[in-house]
Protein backbone atom coordinates (compact mmCIF):
# COMPACT_ATOMS: atom_id res chain seq x y z
CA UNK A 1 0.00 0.00 0.00
CA UNK A 2 1.36 3.44 -0.87
CA UNK A 3 0.54 6.73 0.74
CA UNK A 4 1.36 9.49 -1.72
CA UNK A 5 0.89 12.31 0.80
CA UNK A 6 3.12 10.56 3.26
CA UNK A 7 6.14 10.66 0.99
CA UNK A 8 5.76 14.43 0.82
CA UNK A 9 5.33 14.97 4.53
CA UNK A 10 7.96 12.55 5.73
CA UNK A 11 11.53 13.65 5.76
CA UNK A 12 14.18 11.24 4.55
CA UNK A 13 15.49 10.75 8.07
CA UNK A 14 12.11 9.77 9.47
CA UNK A 15 10.53 6.79 7.77
CA UNK A 16 8.37 6.23 10.86
CA UNK A 17 4.72 5.42 10.40
CA UNK A 18 3.88 6.28 13.99
CA UNK A 19 5.95 8.64 16.06
CA UNK A 20 4.92 9.46 19.61
CA UNK A 21 7.09 12.05 21.30
CA UNK A 22 7.08 13.06 24.95
CA UNK A 23 3.41 12.19 25.44
CA UNK A 24 1.89 13.46 28.66
CA UNK A 25 -1.64 12.73 29.71
CA UNK A 26 -3.42 13.49 32.95
CA UNK A 27 -6.93 12.78 34.13
CA UNK A 28 -7.56 15.88 36.23
CA UNK A 29 -4.60 15.79 38.62
CA UNK A 30 -3.61 12.17 38.09
CA UNK A 31 -0.79 11.89 35.58
CA UNK A 32 -1.26 8.69 33.62
CA UNK A 33 1.36 9.15 30.92
CA UNK A 34 4.58 10.88 31.95
CA UNK A 35 6.51 11.41 28.75
CA UNK A 36 6.20 8.43 26.45
CA UNK A 37 8.13 8.02 23.20
CA UNK A 38 7.25 5.28 20.75
CA UNK A 39 8.24 4.88 17.11
CA UNK A 40 6.82 2.31 14.73
CA UNK A 41 8.09 1.72 11.21
CA UNK A 42 5.69 0.45 8.56
CA UNK A 43 4.93 -3.22 9.16
CA UNK A 44 6.07 -3.17 12.79
CA UNK A 45 4.14 -5.22 15.30
CA UNK A 46 4.67 -3.82 18.78
CA UNK A 47 3.04 -5.05 21.95
CA UNK A 48 2.70 -3.02 25.12
CA UNK A 49 2.70 -4.99 28.35
CA UNK A 50 2.50 -3.88 31.94
CA UNK A 51 0.31 -4.13 34.99
CA UNK A 52 -3.08 -2.47 35.09
CA UNK A 53 -2.85 1.25 35.63
CA UNK A 54 0.51 1.46 33.87
CA UNK A 55 -1.05 3.60 31.14
CA UNK A 56 -0.95 1.15 28.23
CA UNK A 57 -4.62 1.42 27.26
CA UNK A 58 -4.53 5.19 27.70
CA UNK A 59 -1.57 5.31 25.32
CA UNK A 60 -3.56 3.45 22.64
CA UNK A 61 -6.58 5.66 23.21
CA UNK A 62 -4.43 8.77 22.78
CA UNK A 63 -3.17 7.48 19.43
CA UNK A 64 -6.79 7.10 18.31
CA UNK A 65 -7.61 10.52 19.83
CA UNK A 66 -10.23 8.99 22.10
CA UNK A 67 -8.33 10.76 24.87
CA UNK A 68 -6.99 14.28 24.85
CA UNK A 69 -3.37 14.72 25.81
CA UNK A 70 -1.80 17.75 27.39
CA UNK A 71 1.72 17.63 26.06
CA UNK A 72 3.71 15.90 23.38
CA UNK A 73 3.09 15.04 19.80
CA UNK A 74 1.70 12.10 17.85
CA UNK A 75 2.51 11.84 14.15
CA UNK A 76 1.23 9.36 11.62
CA UNK A 77 3.27 9.33 8.42
CA UNK A 78 4.78 12.62 9.48
CA UNK A 79 1.44 14.31 10.01
CA UNK A 80 0.70 15.58 13.53
CA UNK A 81 -2.71 14.45 14.73
CA UNK A 82 -5.20 15.90 17.19
CA UNK A 83 -3.48 19.22 17.73
CA UNK A 84 -1.82 21.83 15.58
CA UNK A 85 0.40 24.80 16.14
CA UNK A 86 -1.27 28.15 15.71
CA UNK A 87 0.74 31.27 16.43
CA UNK A 88 3.10 29.30 18.64
CA UNK A 89 0.20 27.84 20.63
CA UNK A 90 -1.07 24.29 20.66
CA UNK A 91 -4.74 24.15 19.68
CA UNK A 92 -7.03 21.14 19.31
CA UNK A 93 -8.04 20.32 15.73
CA UNK A 94 -11.66 20.74 14.67
CA UNK A 95 -14.10 17.83 14.88
CA UNK A 96 -13.88 17.12 11.15
CA UNK A 97 -10.06 17.13 11.22
CA UNK A 98 -10.03 14.85 14.24
CA UNK A 99 -12.42 12.47 12.45
CA UNK A 100 -10.00 12.42 9.49
CA UNK A 101 -7.05 11.78 11.79
CA UNK A 102 -8.90 8.96 13.52
CA UNK A 103 -9.57 7.30 10.18
CA UNK A 104 -5.79 6.86 9.79
CA UNK A 105 -5.89 4.35 12.61
CA UNK A 106 -8.24 1.47 13.29
CA UNK A 107 -9.08 0.23 16.73
CA UNK A 108 -10.41 -3.01 18.17
CA UNK A 109 -11.78 -2.79 21.69
CA UNK A 110 -11.91 -5.14 24.63
CA UNK A 111 -15.72 -5.04 24.62
CA UNK A 112 -16.02 -5.39 20.78
CA UNK A 113 -18.53 -2.47 20.69
CA UNK A 114 -20.38 -3.72 17.63
CA UNK A 115 -23.45 -1.69 16.71
CA UNK A 116 -26.19 -3.94 18.10
CA UNK A 117 -28.93 -2.85 15.68
CA UNK A 118 -26.93 -3.69 12.56
CA UNK A 119 -25.99 -7.04 11.06
CA UNK A 120 -22.35 -8.10 10.90
CA UNK A 121 -22.24 -6.94 7.28
CA UNK A 122 -23.76 -3.54 8.00
CA UNK A 123 -21.44 -3.03 10.95
CA UNK A 124 -18.62 -3.17 8.44
CA UNK A 125 -20.28 -1.21 5.63
CA UNK A 126 -21.38 1.71 7.82
CA UNK A 127 -17.95 3.36 7.92
CA UNK A 128 -17.22 2.53 4.28
CA UNK A 129 -20.42 4.28 3.22
CA UNK A 130 -20.46 7.21 5.67
CA UNK A 131 -16.75 7.94 5.99
CA UNK A 132 -15.19 6.61 2.80
CA UNK A 133 -18.31 7.61 0.82
CA UNK A 134 -18.34 4.37 -1.16
CA UNK A 135 -21.41 3.20 -3.06
CA UNK A 136 -23.37 0.48 -1.30
CA UNK A 137 -22.34 -2.41 -3.62
CA UNK A 138 -18.71 -1.40 -3.41
CA UNK A 139 -18.92 -1.23 0.38
CA UNK A 140 -20.63 -4.62 0.52
CA UNK A 141 -17.93 -6.17 -1.68
CA UNK A 142 -15.16 -4.86 0.57
CA UNK A 143 -17.03 -5.84 3.74
CA UNK A 144 -17.62 -9.37 2.44
CA UNK A 145 -13.96 -9.72 1.56
CA UNK A 146 -12.93 -8.82 5.11
CA UNK A 147 -15.67 -10.86 6.76
CA UNK A 148 -14.45 -13.80 4.74
CA UNK A 149 -10.93 -13.04 5.87
CA UNK A 150 -11.94 -13.27 9.55
CA UNK A 151 -14.09 -16.35 8.87
CA UNK A 152 -17.39 -14.58 9.39
CA UNK A 153 -18.78 -14.40 5.85
CA UNK A 154 -21.40 -17.06 6.46
CA UNK A 155 -22.75 -15.10 9.39
CA UNK A 156 -22.80 -11.74 7.66
CA UNK A 157 -26.54 -11.38 8.20
CA UNK A 158 -26.42 -12.21 11.89
CA UNK A 159 -26.87 -9.53 14.51
CA UNK A 160 -24.19 -9.12 17.19
CA UNK A 161 -26.56 -10.60 19.78
CA UNK A 162 -26.63 -13.81 17.75
CA UNK A 163 -22.85 -14.19 17.74
CA UNK A 164 -20.41 -15.50 20.33
CA UNK A 165 -17.86 -13.14 21.86
CA UNK A 166 -15.10 -14.45 19.62
CA UNK A 167 -17.26 -14.04 16.54
CA UNK A 168 -18.23 -10.51 17.56
CA UNK A 169 -14.59 -9.60 18.05
CA UNK A 170 -13.70 -10.96 14.61
CA UNK A 171 -16.46 -8.83 13.05
CA UNK A 172 -15.20 -5.83 15.04
CA UNK A 173 -11.70 -6.40 13.67
CA UNK A 174 -13.12 -6.69 10.13
CA UNK A 175 -14.98 -3.42 10.69
CA UNK A 176 -11.74 -1.69 11.64
CA UNK A 177 -9.42 -3.12 8.98
CA UNK A 178 -11.98 -2.67 6.18
CA UNK A 179 -11.36 1.07 6.54
CA UNK A 180 -7.73 0.39 5.44
CA UNK A 181 -6.14 2.13 8.38
CA UNK A 182 -2.39 2.68 8.24
CA UNK A 183 -2.09 1.47 11.80
CA UNK A 184 -4.23 -0.97 13.78
CA UNK A 185 -4.61 -0.64 17.54
CA UNK A 186 -5.71 -3.68 19.51
CA UNK A 187 -6.79 -2.97 23.06
CA UNK A 188 -6.92 -6.21 25.06
CA UNK A 189 -9.07 -7.79 22.37
CA UNK A 190 -9.21 -11.16 24.08
CA UNK A 191 -9.67 -10.03 27.69
CA UNK A 192 -13.48 -10.22 27.60
CA UNK A 193 -13.55 -13.63 25.92
CA UNK A 194 -14.11 -17.08 27.32
CA UNK A 195 -10.80 -18.98 27.21
CA UNK A 196 -11.90 -21.32 24.42
CA UNK A 197 -12.66 -18.32 22.15
CA UNK A 198 -9.32 -16.57 22.57
CA UNK A 199 -7.44 -18.45 19.87
CA UNK A 200 -9.85 -17.77 17.02
CA UNK A 201 -9.34 -14.04 17.61
CA UNK A 202 -5.58 -14.25 18.10
CA UNK A 203 -5.16 -16.17 14.86
CA UNK A 204 -7.00 -13.40 13.01
CA UNK A 205 -4.66 -10.81 14.55
CA UNK A 206 -1.65 -12.97 13.72
CA UNK A 207 -2.83 -13.31 10.12
CA UNK A 208 -3.02 -9.54 9.79
CA UNK A 209 0.46 -9.19 11.27
CA UNK A 210 1.83 -11.68 8.75
CA UNK A 211 0.26 -9.62 5.97
CA UNK A 212 2.39 -6.69 7.03
CA UNK A 213 -0.21 -4.63 8.87
CA UNK A 214 1.44 -2.17 11.23
CA UNK A 215 0.05 -2.69 14.70
CA UNK A 216 0.27 -1.60 18.27
CA UNK A 217 -1.25 -4.03 20.74
CA UNK A 218 -2.07 -4.18 24.40
CA UNK A 219 -2.54 -7.72 25.59
CA UNK A 220 -2.25 -10.00 28.58
CA UNK A 221 -1.57 -12.98 26.33
CA UNK A 222 2.18 -13.14 26.84
CA UNK A 223 2.78 -16.20 24.69
CA UNK A 224 0.96 -14.51 21.85
CA UNK A 225 2.88 -11.27 22.40
CA UNK A 226 6.10 -13.26 22.29
CA UNK A 227 5.20 -14.96 19.03
CA UNK A 228 3.65 -12.11 17.08
CA UNK A 229 5.66 -9.03 18.12
CA UNK A 230 8.77 -7.51 16.62
CA UNK A 231 9.19 -5.49 19.77
CA UNK A 232 7.77 -5.42 23.28
CA UNK A 233 7.31 -2.29 25.33
CA UNK A 234 7.04 -2.69 29.08
CA UNK A 235 5.20 0.19 30.70
CA UNK A 236 5.24 1.02 34.36
CA UNK A 237 3.55 3.97 36.06
CA UNK A 238 3.10 6.01 32.92
CA UNK A 239 6.60 5.53 31.57
CA UNK A 240 8.33 3.08 29.27
CA UNK A 241 10.53 1.04 31.53
CA UNK A 242 12.03 -1.29 29.00
CA UNK A 243 11.75 -1.94 25.28
CA UNK A 244 13.20 -4.48 22.92
CA UNK A 245 12.78 -7.74 21.00
CA UNK A 246 10.51 -10.26 22.76
CA UNK A 247 13.32 -12.74 23.36
CA UNK A 248 15.39 -10.14 25.22
CA UNK A 249 12.54 -8.79 27.31
CA UNK A 250 11.07 -12.09 28.31
CA UNK A 251 14.30 -14.02 28.77
CA UNK A 252 16.72 -11.36 30.00
CA UNK A 253 14.69 -8.61 31.61
CA UNK A 254 16.93 -5.80 32.80
CA UNK A 255 14.73 -3.74 35.05
CA UNK A 256 13.62 -4.95 38.42
CA UNK A 257 10.04 -3.96 37.71
CA UNK A 258 9.87 -6.09 34.58
CA UNK A 259 11.40 -9.01 36.45
CA UNK A 260 8.71 -8.64 39.09
CA UNK A 261 5.99 -8.28 36.48
CA UNK A 262 7.10 -11.40 34.64
CA UNK A 263 7.17 -13.30 37.90
CA UNK A 264 3.54 -12.42 38.67
CA UNK A 265 2.31 -13.65 35.31
CA UNK A 266 2.99 -17.12 34.06
CA UNK A 267 4.07 -17.54 30.47
CA UNK B 1 -86.17 -0.38 37.92
CA UNK B 2 -86.31 -1.56 34.37
CA UNK B 3 -84.21 0.12 31.77
CA UNK B 4 -84.56 -0.81 28.15
CA UNK B 5 -81.24 -0.58 26.44
CA UNK B 6 -81.45 0.80 22.95
CA UNK B 7 -78.05 0.86 21.35
CA UNK B 8 -79.53 1.32 17.89
CA UNK B 9 -80.34 4.93 18.72
CA UNK B 10 -76.66 5.56 19.35
CA UNK B 11 -75.15 3.29 16.70
CA UNK B 12 -77.32 5.00 14.08
CA UNK B 13 -74.59 7.62 14.17
CA UNK B 14 -71.83 5.09 13.58
CA UNK B 15 -70.26 7.17 10.80
CA UNK B 16 -69.92 10.13 13.16
CA UNK B 17 -68.49 7.98 15.95
CA UNK B 18 -66.05 6.25 13.64
CA UNK B 19 -64.92 9.49 12.05
CA UNK B 20 -64.42 10.88 15.55
CA UNK B 21 -62.33 7.87 16.48
CA UNK B 22 -60.32 8.22 13.27
CA UNK B 23 -59.62 11.88 13.96
CA UNK B 24 -58.50 11.00 17.49
CA UNK B 25 -56.02 8.49 16.10
CA UNK B 26 -54.70 10.99 13.57
CA UNK B 27 -54.33 13.66 16.27
CA UNK B 28 -52.41 11.25 18.50
CA UNK B 29 -50.21 10.05 15.65
CA UNK B 30 -49.29 13.52 14.39
CA UNK B 31 -48.68 14.71 17.95
CA UNK B 32 -46.43 11.83 18.90
CA UNK B 33 -44.37 12.33 15.74
CA UNK B 34 -43.89 16.04 16.45
CA UNK B 35 -43.51 15.20 20.15
CA UNK B 36 -40.68 12.77 19.31
CA UNK B 37 -38.76 15.53 17.54
CA UNK B 38 -39.30 17.94 20.45
CA UNK B 39 -38.53 15.23 23.01
CA UNK B 40 -35.33 14.18 21.23
CA UNK B 41 -34.09 17.76 21.06
CA UNK B 42 -34.99 18.35 24.71
CA UNK B 43 -33.37 15.06 25.79
CA UNK B 44 -30.09 16.12 24.16
CA UNK B 45 -30.66 19.50 25.81
CA UNK B 46 -31.02 17.98 29.27
CA UNK B 47 -27.80 16.00 28.71
CA UNK B 48 -25.95 18.87 27.06
CA UNK B 49 -22.57 20.11 28.23
CA UNK B 50 -23.87 23.64 27.89
CA UNK B 51 -25.70 25.01 30.89
CA UNK B 52 -28.06 27.15 28.84
CA UNK B 53 -29.45 24.13 26.93
CA UNK B 54 -29.84 22.19 30.16
CA UNK B 55 -31.78 25.06 31.73
CA UNK B 56 -34.09 25.58 28.75
CA UNK B 57 -34.86 21.86 28.44
CA UNK B 58 -35.41 21.39 32.17
CA UNK B 59 -37.73 24.40 32.46
CA UNK B 60 -39.77 23.12 29.51
CA UNK B 61 -40.13 19.59 30.87
CA UNK B 62 -40.90 20.70 34.41
CA UNK B 63 -43.45 23.30 33.41
CA UNK B 64 -45.37 21.11 31.00
CA UNK B 65 -45.37 18.03 33.19
CA UNK B 66 -46.74 19.99 36.12
CA UNK B 67 -49.60 21.64 34.24
CA UNK B 68 -52.86 19.76 33.67
CA UNK B 69 -53.30 19.01 29.99
CA UNK B 70 -56.80 20.50 29.92
CA UNK B 71 -55.37 23.80 31.12
CA UNK B 72 -52.71 23.63 28.38
CA UNK B 73 -55.40 22.97 25.77
CA UNK B 74 -57.48 25.93 26.90
CA UNK B 75 -54.44 28.15 27.26
CA UNK B 76 -53.26 27.44 23.73
CA UNK B 77 -56.71 27.75 22.19
CA UNK B 78 -57.91 30.88 23.99
CA UNK B 79 -54.71 32.71 24.90
CA UNK B 80 -52.65 32.47 21.70
CA UNK B 81 -55.26 34.34 19.60
CA UNK B 82 -55.09 37.16 22.15
CA UNK B 83 -51.39 37.37 21.36
CA UNK B 84 -52.23 37.64 17.68
CA UNK B 85 -51.68 34.01 16.68
CA UNK B 86 -54.92 32.72 15.17
CA UNK B 87 -55.12 28.94 14.88
CA UNK B 88 -57.83 26.47 13.98
CA UNK B 89 -59.14 24.15 16.68
CA UNK B 90 -57.33 21.16 15.28
CA UNK B 91 -53.99 22.95 14.78
CA UNK B 92 -54.23 24.43 18.25
CA UNK B 93 -54.90 21.01 19.76
CA UNK B 94 -52.08 19.34 17.83
CA UNK B 95 -49.64 21.98 19.06
CA UNK B 96 -50.74 21.42 22.64
CA UNK B 97 -50.63 17.65 22.47
CA UNK B 98 -47.22 17.68 20.72
CA UNK B 99 -45.68 19.97 23.29
CA UNK B 100 -47.25 17.88 26.03
CA UNK B 101 -46.01 14.60 24.49
CA UNK B 102 -42.56 16.13 23.98
CA UNK B 103 -42.17 16.79 27.69
CA UNK B 104 -42.97 13.21 28.62
CA UNK B 105 -40.87 11.77 25.79
CA UNK B 106 -37.89 13.88 26.88
CA UNK B 107 -37.68 11.77 30.02
CA UNK B 108 -38.10 8.54 28.02
CA UNK B 109 -35.36 9.51 25.55
CA UNK B 110 -33.05 10.85 28.25
CA UNK B 111 -33.19 7.53 30.07
CA UNK B 112 -32.67 5.72 26.75
CA UNK B 113 -29.62 7.82 25.86
CA UNK B 114 -28.03 7.39 29.28
CA UNK B 115 -28.40 3.61 28.95
CA UNK B 116 -26.39 3.45 25.70
CA UNK B 117 -22.92 2.02 26.36
CA UNK B 118 -20.14 4.60 25.91
CA UNK B 119 -18.26 2.11 23.75
CA UNK B 120 -20.70 2.46 20.86
CA UNK B 121 -19.82 6.12 20.46
CA UNK B 122 -16.11 5.31 20.69
CA UNK B 123 -16.43 2.54 18.10
CA UNK B 124 -18.08 5.07 15.80
CA UNK B 125 -15.35 7.63 16.43
CA UNK B 126 -12.68 4.99 15.83
CA UNK B 127 -13.88 4.34 12.28
CA UNK B 128 -13.90 8.07 11.58
CA UNK B 129 -17.59 8.90 11.97
CA UNK B 130 -18.37 12.41 13.18
CA UNK B 131 -20.42 13.00 16.34
CA UNK B 132 -23.44 13.89 14.21
CA UNK B 133 -23.13 10.72 12.11
CA UNK B 134 -22.80 8.61 15.24
CA UNK B 135 -25.90 10.21 16.70
CA UNK B 136 -27.93 9.61 13.54
CA UNK B 137 -26.66 6.16 12.57
CA UNK B 138 -26.00 4.57 15.93
CA UNK B 139 -27.14 6.34 19.10
CA UNK B 140 -30.67 7.35 18.08
CA UNK B 141 -31.58 4.10 16.26
CA UNK B 142 -30.37 1.97 19.17
CA UNK B 143 -32.04 4.22 21.73
CA UNK B 144 -35.40 4.30 19.88
CA UNK B 145 -35.45 0.49 19.71
CA UNK B 146 -34.74 0.29 23.42
CA UNK B 147 -37.50 2.71 24.39
CA UNK B 148 -40.10 1.38 21.96
CA UNK B 149 -42.27 -0.13 24.72
CA UNK B 150 -42.54 3.15 26.61
CA UNK B 151 -43.05 5.00 23.33
CA UNK B 152 -46.03 2.71 22.71
CA UNK B 153 -47.48 3.35 26.16
CA UNK B 154 -47.11 7.07 25.60
CA UNK B 155 -48.94 6.77 22.30
CA UNK B 156 -51.90 5.01 23.90
CA UNK B 157 -51.97 7.59 26.65
CA UNK B 158 -51.95 10.39 24.08
CA UNK B 159 -54.72 8.73 22.13
CA UNK B 160 -56.90 8.70 25.24
CA UNK B 161 -55.98 12.33 25.91
CA UNK B 162 -57.44 13.29 22.54
CA UNK B 163 -60.85 13.01 24.23
CA UNK B 164 -60.01 16.31 25.94
CA UNK B 165 -60.09 18.00 22.55
CA UNK B 166 -63.87 17.92 22.95
CA UNK B 167 -63.37 20.85 25.34
CA UNK B 168 -62.54 23.07 22.39
CA UNK B 169 -65.07 21.38 20.08
CA UNK B 170 -62.62 19.36 18.00
CA UNK B 171 -64.92 16.79 16.37
CA UNK B 172 -63.38 13.63 17.78
CA UNK B 173 -65.13 10.67 19.41
CA UNK B 174 -65.95 12.25 22.77
CA UNK B 175 -67.25 15.37 21.06
CA UNK B 176 -69.68 13.31 18.94
CA UNK B 177 -70.66 11.11 21.86
CA UNK B 178 -71.58 14.20 23.82
CA UNK B 179 -73.58 15.47 20.87
CA UNK B 180 -75.42 12.17 20.41
CA UNK B 181 -76.07 12.02 24.13
CA UNK B 182 -77.68 15.44 24.13
CA UNK B 183 -79.83 14.64 21.12
CA UNK B 184 -80.91 11.12 22.12
CA UNK B 185 -80.95 11.30 25.93
CA UNK B 186 -79.46 7.80 25.85
CA UNK B 187 -76.81 8.54 28.46
CA UNK B 188 -75.85 4.99 29.37
CA UNK B 189 -75.76 3.63 25.83
CA UNK B 190 -73.89 6.59 24.42
CA UNK B 191 -71.08 6.54 26.92
CA UNK B 192 -70.89 2.75 26.94
CA UNK B 193 -70.46 2.74 23.17
CA UNK B 194 -67.85 5.49 23.34
CA UNK B 195 -65.95 3.73 26.12
CA UNK B 196 -66.04 0.43 24.29
CA UNK B 197 -64.73 2.09 21.13
CA UNK B 198 -61.79 3.54 23.08
CA UNK B 199 -61.07 0.17 24.67
CA UNK B 200 -61.16 -1.73 21.38
CA UNK B 201 -59.03 0.89 19.63
CA UNK B 202 -56.44 0.79 22.43
CA UNK B 203 -56.29 -2.99 22.33
CA UNK B 204 -55.78 -2.97 18.58
CA UNK B 205 -53.08 -0.31 18.88
CA UNK B 206 -51.21 -2.14 21.63
CA UNK B 207 -51.32 -5.39 19.66
CA UNK B 208 -49.97 -3.60 16.61
CA UNK B 209 -47.28 -1.92 18.69
CA UNK B 210 -46.15 -5.21 20.17
CA UNK B 211 -45.84 -6.56 16.65
CA UNK B 212 -43.72 -3.55 15.63
CA UNK B 213 -41.61 -3.86 18.79
CA UNK B 214 -40.87 -7.47 18.00
CA UNK B 215 -39.93 -6.65 14.43
CA UNK B 216 -37.62 -3.81 15.40
CA UNK B 217 -36.27 -5.16 18.67
CA UNK B 218 -32.52 -5.56 18.95
CA UNK B 219 -31.69 -9.23 18.95
CA UNK B 220 -29.81 -10.11 22.09
Amino acid sequence: MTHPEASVATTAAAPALLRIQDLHKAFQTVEVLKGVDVTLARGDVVTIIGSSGSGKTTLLRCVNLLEEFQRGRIEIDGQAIGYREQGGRRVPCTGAEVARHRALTGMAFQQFNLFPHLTALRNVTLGLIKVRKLARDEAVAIAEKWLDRVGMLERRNHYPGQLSGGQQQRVAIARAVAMTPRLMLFDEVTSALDPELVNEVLSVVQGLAQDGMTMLLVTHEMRFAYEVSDRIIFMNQGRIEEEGPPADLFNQPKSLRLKEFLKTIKI
Amino acid sequence: MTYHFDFAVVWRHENLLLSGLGLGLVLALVSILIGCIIGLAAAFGVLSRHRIFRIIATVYVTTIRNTPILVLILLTYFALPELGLRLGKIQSFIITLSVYAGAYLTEVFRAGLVAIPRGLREAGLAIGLTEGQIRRSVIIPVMIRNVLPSLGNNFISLFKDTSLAAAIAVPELTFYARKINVESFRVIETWMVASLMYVVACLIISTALRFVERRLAIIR
Side-chain angles (χ1 to χ4, degrees):
Chain A
M1 200 170 67
T2 56
H3 305 296
E5 67 269 48
S7 56
V8 179
T10 320
T11 60
L17 185 127
L18 171 70
R19 182 185 294 274
I20 302 173
Q21 288 170 312
D22 193 33
L23 190 67
H24 287 256
K25 157 80 190 168
F27 291 104
Q28 275 91 45
T29 54
V30 185
E31 213 178 5
V32 183
L33 297 176
K34 303 167 185 168
V36 172
D37 297 81
V38 177
T39 304
L40 264 70
R42 199 176 311 284
D44 273 359
V45 177
V46 174
T47 301
I48 309 168
I49 61 171
S51 50
S52 63
S54 59
K56 42 194 201 314
T57 288
T58 306
L59 177 59
L60 279 200
R61 290 170 59 85
C62 283
V63 175
N64 206 10
L65 302 177
L66 289 176
E67 300 290 352
E68 299 169 348
F69 48 94
Q70 287 80 27
R71 219 168 88 201
R73 198 176 156 83
I74 301 179
E75 286 176 13
I76 293 174
D77 274 331
Q79 181 190 358
I81 61 166
Y83 301 85
R84 59 194 156 75
E85 296 289 321
Q86 197 174 293
R89 285 198 11 244
R90 177 176 181 270
V91 287
C93 294
T94 64
E97 281 172 320
V98 167
R100 262 202 309 283
H101 292 163
R102 280 202 187 98
L104 298 172
T105 58
M107 183 150 183
F109 300 86
Q110 187 177 347
Q111 299 295 340
F112 335 130
N113 296 340
L114 287 181
F115 306 128
H117 63 306
L118 301 179
T119 60
L121 181 73
R122 292 194 52 208
N123 259 279
V124 184
T125 55
L126 184 68
L128 294 169
I129 293 169
K130 301 271 176 196
V131 180
R132 298 264 308 276
K133 311 282 179 204
L134 297 183
R136 180 163 288 279
D137 339 344
E138 238 180 313
V140 167
I142 292 173
E144 286 182 341
K145 187 189 92 183
W146 282 107
L147 285 171
D148 190 24
R149 183 59 210 282
V150 301
M152 289 299 295
L153 186 58
E154 272 176 31
R155 293 178 193 257
R156 61 182 174 275
N157 293 323
H158 285 55
Y159 286 88
Q162 298 170 305
L163 301 172
S164 74
Q167 292 170 335
Q168 289 188 53
Q169 191 59 289
R170 279 144 64 198
V171 174
I173 292 170
R175 174 176 68 180
V177 290
M179 301 296 292
T180 51
R182 301 184 192 180
L183 168 71
M184 265 303 293
L185 307 166
F186 292 90
D187 183 18
E188 300 191 26
V189 287
T190 58
S191 295
L193 296 177
D194 292 335
E196 73 272 18
L197 302 176
V198 167
N199 280 333
E200 62 183 79
V201 172
L202 291 185
S203 65
V204 164
V205 178
Q206 192 150 26
L208 292 170
Q210 278 157 4
D211 283 1
M213 170 80 75
T214 313
M215 33 178 129
L216 190 58
L217 304 97
V218 169
T219 184
H220 293 297
E221 301 287 331
M222 292 303 151
R223 183 172 298 279
F224 174 73
Y226 189 98
E227 284 167 10
V228 79
S229 316
D230 299 309
R231 239 161 51 236
I232 305 277
I233 290 174
F234 171 64
M235 281 188 72
N236 182 47
Q237 295 182 351
R239 288 197 179 85
I240 294 179
E241 187 95 9
E242 202 168 330
E243 181 175 356
D248 293 0
L249 251 82
F250 285 124
N251 301 331
Q252 292 128 26
K254 292 188 194 75
S255 76
L256 185 64
R257 302 251 188 232
L258 178 55
K259 283 177 193 163
E260 282 169 357
F261 176 73
L262 292 174
K263 231 180 284 172
T264 59
I265 51 155
K266 291 198 187 81
I267 312 178
Chain B
M1 188 189 99
T2 51
Y3 185 91
H4 296 282
F5 285 97
D6 185 0
F7 287 100
V9 177
V10 176
W11 197 242
R12 201 165 45 216
H13 303 288
E14 71 171 288
N15 50 348
L16 288 185
L17 292 168
L18 287 172
S19 83
L21 185 76
L23 180 62
L25 283 171
V26 171
L27 292 173
L29 196 63
V30 173
S31 302
I32 202 160
L33 290 177
I34 303 174
C36 275
I37 297 168
I38 301 175
L40 210 50
F44 280 114
V46 170
L47 298 173
S48 171
R49 272 178 298 151
H50 305 287
R51 218 167 96 89
I52 182 75
F53 290 136
R54 288 203 302 272
I55 291 172
I56 293 170
T58 308
V59 167
Y60 158 65
V61 171
T62 312
T63 311
I64 299 299
R65 295 221 309 183
N66 290 303
T67 312
I69 180 163
L70 185 57
V71 172
L72 292 174
I73 292 166
L74 298 175
L75 181 77
T76 315
Y77 187 59
F78 292 112
L80 283 189
E82 295 292 320
L83 299 171
L85 190 59
R86 299 218 141 267
L87 293 166
K89 294 189 283 257
I90 292 183
Q91 289 135 301
S92 166
F93 183 73
I94 286 178
I95 289 176
T96 313
L97 202 60
S98 303
V99 169
Y100 178 74
Y104 282 85
L105 293 175
T106 301
E107 199 37 47
V108 171
F109 291 150
R110 188 201 61 80
L113 289 173
V114 169
I116 301 237
R118 199 180 60 149
L120 290 188
R121 175 175 159 267
E122 295 188 344
L125 292 176
I127 55 173
L129 293 173
T130 60
E131 296 278 2
Q133 287 173 323
I134 293 170
R135 217 170 282 158
R136 283 191 301 277
S137 303
V138 181
I139 306 292
I140 293 175
V142 172
M143 183 272 287
I144 293 282
R145 282 167 170 85
N146 287 344
V147 302
L148 227 42
S150 25
L151 215 52
N153 291 341
N154 269 279
F155 179 70
I156 287 174
S157 216
L158 281 186
F159 169 61
K160 290 187 293 176
D161 289 338
T162 58
S163 65
L164 291 165
I168 54 170
V170 171
E172 49 64 66
L173 178 52
T174 302
F175 173 84
Y176 281 127
R178 202 155 64 164
K179 192 167 158 212
I180 293 163
N181 178 35
V182 169
E183 286 166 9
S184 67
F185 299 107
R186 286 286 167 180
V187 184
I188 300 175
E189 289 90 333
T190 310
W191 293 112
M192 275 177 73
V193 166
S195 303
L196 201 65
M197 286 175 78
Y198 277 114
V199 171
V200 171
C202 286
L203 289 177
I204 293 172
I205 296 168
S206 63
T207 310
L209 284 171
R210 265 202 294 280
F211 176 75
V212 175
E213 275 166 37
R214 266 205 298 277
R215 287 294 304 274
L216 289 179
I218 287 170
I219 299 166
R220 290 181 202 282

